[in-house]
Amino acid sequence: MSEEIDIVIDSKTYHAKEGSLLIDLLIKEKIKVPYFCYHESLGPDGNCRMCMVEIEGQKRPQIACDTFIEPNMEVRSTGKTIEKVRTDILELELINHPVDCPTCDQAGECSLQEYYMDYGLHEAKVSISDKVKHKKHVDLGSNVILDQERCVLCARCTRFTDKITHTHELGIIGRGDDARVSTMPGRKLDNPYAMNVVDLCPVGALTSKDFRFVQRVWFLQTVNSICHGCAKGCNIFIDHNRVKYQDDVIYRFRPRRNDEVNGFFICDEGRLSYKALQENRQETALLQGKEIREEEAIQEAQTLIQKYKDNISVVIDANLYSEEIEAILRFAKKINASVHSPLDVYIEESFKDDMLRSAHRAANYKTIEALHIDTHEPKSSGLLINFNHPQNFNAAAHIDFLTHQRDVPSLVFPIADYTENSGTLTNEDGILQKCEKAISRNLPIPTVIEILLKVKV
Amino acid sequence: MSFVFSKENLLRIETLKKRYPSPKALCLPCLWMAQHQEGYISIDAIDTISEEIGIAPMEIYGVVTFYTMFHLEPQDKLNVQVCKTLSCKLCGSDEILKHLEGKDVKISHVECLGSCGTAPVMQIDDVYYEELNPEKVDEILKSLR
């Protein structure tokens, strides 16, 4: 069944595996085909009927999501018949839909809106007052809000809770034009991956409480990055924007497909981790709690390093980029310091599950191990230089490089967090992944490497 | 869970289970048993059925809401189901409906009850009442009080 064969789509020949789904080929070859219910992670369901194509020898148009590729297949994805079929099916989908895109939060990333521009744009035969009214604001739980009127009943969300999380919270109740997505009475959507239904929803029915009506999606810039929540290294998009007269701000994380790492999804904790990332940032250098200029801080650091010569320990956070870790190692060698990165503090067994969440809550601990860095705590020393490691250690004197504010009465350097810097990480399966720089602050915070280059020793 | 199937119902479920390759096939029979036992289908009953046959409660809840014959709340009034399809309509179901208006019963219009030869027809619980006229309806309601 897995033989490569040729099939013809719109008079062009393509290679495909015999017995594979036609819609997968259409999506792969970027041949325009509208669809709501099909999703590569959930498989075909065949309920939306939008992906109709004509197949030579078949009497009626067929749905591409439930058609298997056969030898000598001839497919037409365009033409008068197919346009008419799609228009008619879309008209059915839109019978009770309010078509109020300007006030909908999904506008700009809505399949229904796109297809409406392609196959809709006709006068509605049902007047607004005759449309079936449903609830506009149902709090399903786990930060997910449901607008039942905008739903096209593609069942992607219910299939997600059935097939992916196996928690079965969502289902379709009622029938005919009364059918709608719902939870059981008195029960909520409650699982650590729940917010993925917001990404799965092709229309504005499911939106995130956290993001809805905060930003228009066409104002957002998207950057590829990696979640730092645990060692799994789920691929994400960072959506950020600099609103006029304000600073560059992250508005949401979205999962980015990577079949080798996270598939299509991320956990809710990772998705919402952007909030804590932007709070309580360390923005200026400090000496005993007082703000000082960077040059003064560097001067102070040089004096300390000189004073405690040959009695210095360096501690590295296992979330830093590999490039940063290597720069710190080079620096430590120069000042003849012992290097440590205690990893026990990152382990949180209760966080682990059998989907994506890993007990190692450090994004780059594999690199620490690969570089043979001592993972024991440093023995008490003269000077301790801490590169954002979450633990506090005893020493006569401290220098702290911090992304976020911490109550330490020492010399503190502010450093850029992972969204303000680019670099590479190795996830727990040994896959090397790259993060791009997303945020450019109005007042930039230097990276570890930039500061270390300025310290003369 | 406060809902427990009666002994007879449990016995029936066991007998039915042998008939089908999967216990999931017993969704509708179990719902009927629960409704007959309590008069309605409680969320507790759905949870009990879910454990009995291995279907998620949400899926069973979807089935309950799909069919108009299942009730999720206790019914305090007689549920009079009047057939609204062609034969009954031609033989005077409108008159029956009009006559029922204002009476202390729940009226529901249902699709063909499959008894066109004896139209007009109404169904109260599981019993058919056929060849109706207003006087007969009064008699029936009186006898049921």
Side-chain angles (χ1 to χ4, degrees):
Chain A
M1 280 296 270
S2 57
E3 223 174 298
E4 286 269 331
I5 52 166
D6 286 351
I7 77 161
V8 178
I9 305 173
D10 300 330
S11 327
K12 260 181 85 180
T13 308
Y14 297 91
H15 300 288
K17 277 203 178 109
E18 189 179 349
S20 61
L21 282 176
L22 177 58
I23 197 164
D24 281 337
L25 180 69
L26 294 171
I27 295 170
K28 195 179 123 209
E29 299 293 346
K30 300 199 166 59
I31 298 165
K32 203 169 173 184
V33 55
Y35 61 96
F36 294 115
C37 69
Y38 181 75
H39 192 273
E40 281 143 304
S41 67
L42 303 169
D45 199 47
N47 72 54
C48 78
R49 319 305 292 179
M50 279 301 288
C51 60
M52 291 278 193
V53 289
E54 277 186 288
I55 294 165
E56 194 60 51
Q58 303 263 20
K59 260 192 212 161
R60 283 174 286 271
Q62 306 288 319
I63 47 172
C65 73
D66 209 16
T67 300
F68 299 98
I69 289 172
E70 289 166 11
N72 308 320
M73 217 177 204
E74 218 174 289
V75 179
R76 278 188 302 278
S77 75
T78 51
K80 264 199 174 144
T81 323
I82 220 72
E83 301 271 313
K84 171 90 171 62
V85 166
R86 287 174 185 172
T87 306
D88 291 350
I89 293 168
L90 192 72
E91 192 180 348
L92 275 173
E93 302 276 10
L94 288 167
I95 280 185
N96 287 314
H97 187 280
V99 202
D100 56 349
C101 303
T103 61
C104 177
D105 197 48
Q106 187 84 0
E109 51 180 5
C110 175
S111 307
L112 190 59
Q113 189 184 25
E114 268 170 48
Y115 305 153
Y116 181 73
M117 300 316 276
D118 292 341
Y119 306 107
L121 289 177
H122 44 64
E123 280 299 312
K125 288 178 194 155
V126 182
S127 72
I128 299 242
S129 55
D130 290 338
K131 291 192 178 200
V132 175
K133 306 285 186 295
H134 281 306
K135 288 185 186 152
K136 298 290 285 177
H137 189 280
V138 183
D139 192 341
L140 291 180
S142 297
N143 280 315
V144 180
I145 303 278
L146 167 66
D147 182 332
Q148 290 176 333
E149 285 183 359
R150 296 202 170 112
C151 179
V152 291
L153 294 173
C154 68
R156 276 191 194 178
C157 52
T158 67
R159 283 184 289 149
F160 176 78
T161 57
D162 287 344
K163 290 183 178 173
I164 310 285
T165 62
H166 306 289
T167 45
H168 308 282
E169 296 104 328
L170 295 176
I172 292 174
I173 63 166
R175 65 165 150 175
D177 57 13
D178 188 41
R180 61 220 183 265
V181 169
S182 172
T183 53
M184 292 270 286
R187 292 179 201 175
K188 292 275 179 197
L189 180 62
D190 180 24
N191 70 65
Y193 297 89
M195 287 176 81
N196 287 300
V197 297
V198 173
D199 304 316
L200 283 173
C201 183
V203 297
L206 296 172
T207 47
S208 145
K209 206 192 234 176
D210 176 61
F211 177 74
R212 71 198 310 253
F213 304 121
V214 173
Q215 279 283 304
R216 279 309 203 177
V217 293
W218 52 85
F219 292 133
L220 296 173
Q221 280 105 54
T222 300
V223 167
N224 295 349
S225 191
I226 307 293
C227 174
H228 276 50
C230 71
K232 186 74 190 175
C234 295
N235 292 211
I236 53 168
F237 290 118
I238 297 179
D239 286 343
H240 68 106
N241 181 26
R242 185 198 300 275
V243 179
K244 212 173 180 183
Y245 309 123
Q246 289 177 27
D247 212 344
D248 205 353
V249 169
I250 301 173
Y251 286 99
R252 63 174 176 184
F253 283 173
R254 279 182 301 133
R256 177 160 58 96
R257 182 179 178 181
N258 185 337
D259 292 343
E260 264 127 62
V261 183
N262 56 318
F264 294 83
F265 308 116
I266 55 173
C267 72
D268 286 3
E269 189 157 338
R271 182 189 296 264
L272 295 172
S273 63
Y274 77 93
K275 281 187 180 165
L277 205 61
Q278 301 188 108
E279 283 164 9
N280 298 323
R281 286 301 307 282
Q282 184 67 44
E283 286 167 332
T284 53
L286 298 175
L287 182 61
Q288 267 126 33
K290 277 194 196 116
E291 275 185 33
I292 52 168
R293 284 185 297 125
E294 197 192 71
E295 301 85 67
E296 290 171 326
I298 286 169
Q299 201 71 48
E300 187 67 27
Q302 285 167 353
T303 320
L304 279 173
I305 291 167
Q306 204 63 44
K307 187 176 163 193
Y308 290 96
K309 213 174 174 193
D310 302 327
N311 190 12
I312 306 175
S313 299
V314 164
V315 187
I316 307 176
D317 178 18
N319 282 299
L320 294 176
Y321 288 132
S322 306
E323 293 83 351
E324 294 174 322
I325 295 172
E326 294 212 24
I328 294 167
L329 285 182
R330 278 198 297 277
F331 177 76
K333 204 172 173 193
K334 237 178 2 183
I335 60 171
N336 195 23
S338 63
V339 182
H340 310 264
S341 182
L343 295 177
D344 288 347
V345 63
Y346 298 109
I347 291 175
E348 191 183 330
E349 285 297 336
S350 61
F351 185 72
K352 188 184 159 124
D353 65 17
D354 50 10
M355 268 183 76
L356 298 174
R357 294 166 23 138
S358 158
H360 290 273
R361 304 205 61 183
N364 207 10
Y365 86 93
K366 274 283 168 187
T367 302
I368 297 282
E369 287 181 353
L371 292 170
H372 305 294
I373 293 170
D374 184 5
T375 56
H376 297 96
E377 291 190 9
K379 289 195 190 86
S380 111
S381 56
L383 177 64
L384 191 125
I385 309 179
N386 185 349
F387 289 92
N388 209 37
H389 192 279
Q391 251 173 307
N392 289 328
F393 304 96
N394 283 332
H398 290 87
I399 302 176
D400 287 285
F401 288 73
L402 300 179
T403 56
H404 291 77
Q405 288 170 19
R406 215 186 286 176
D407 193 17
V408 280
S410 62
L411 178 63
V412 173
F413 284 94
I415 53 168
D417 68 26
Y418 72 91
T419 61
E420 297 163 7
N421 191 3
S422 62
T424 49
L425 301 168
T426 308
N427 85 342
E428 63 177 356
D429 303 316
I431 298 171
L432 190 71
Q433 307 194 92
K434 191 167 166 34
C435 297
E436 289 168 19
K437 176 178 170 168
I439 297 294
S440 303
R441 295 170 65 99
N442 290 341
L443 296 169
I445 295 176
T447 63
V448 173
I449 299 176
E450 281 166 359
I451 296 173
L452 291 183
L453 284 175
K454 287 180 192 163
V455 180
K456 300 274 178 296
V457 284
Chain B
M1 268 182 271
S2 58
F3 178 86
V4 186
F5 272 118
S6 66
K7 264 190 194 150
E8 300 125 55
N9 279 340
L10 282 174
L11 212 66
R12 282 170 70 194
I13 292 170
E14 284 316 309
T15 329
L16 284 173
K17 268 186 186 167
K18 289 175 201 147
R19 264 195 222 170
Y20 303 101
S22 158
K24 290 180 181 177
L26 299 192
C27 185
L28 287 175
C30 282
L31 285 171
W32 277 121
M33 283 181 230
Q35 179 151 312
H36 281 140
Q37 194 177 312
E38 288 205 314
Y40 74 108
I41 293 163
S42 61
I43 300 297
D44 272 349
I46 292 179
D47 286 336
T48 310
I49 296 170
S50 162
E51 276 182 18
E52 195 67 51
I53 64 174
I55 297 180
M58 186 61 227
E59 208 172 314
I60 301 175
Y61 182 68
V63 173
V64 176
T65 55
F66 183 89
Y67 293 107
T68 50
M69 296 87 123
F70 291 128
H71 312 297
L72 281 159
E73 261 143 37
Q75 303 292 301
D76 51 356
K77 287 178 186 171
L78 275 184
N79 184 18
V80 181
Q81 303 165 60
V82 182
C83 176
K84 64 173 179 184
T85 313
L86 187 65
S87 304
C88 288
K89 199 91 174 170
L90 290 173
C91 292
S93 66
D94 282 344
E95 199 187 345
I96 306 294
L97 278 171
K98 216 172 161 190
H99 187 70
L100 280 167
E101 261 171 43
K103 294 209 191 307
D104 191 25
V105 292
K106 184 186 165 196
I107 307 165
S108 34
H109 307 205
V110 297
E111 299 296 342
C112 185
L113 287 171
S115 188
C116 304
T118 56
V121 178
M122 68 179 186
Q123 184 185 351
I124 300 176
D125 292 335
D126 290 343
V127 186
Y128 271 20
Y129 297 93
E130 297 159 312
E131 291 172 341
L132 297 171
N133 53 47
E135 294 79 48
K136 209 168 166 186
V137 169
D138 280 338
E139 258 173 59
I140 293 162
L141 291 182
K142 213 170 154 190
S143 69
L144 287 172
R145 284 200 192 263

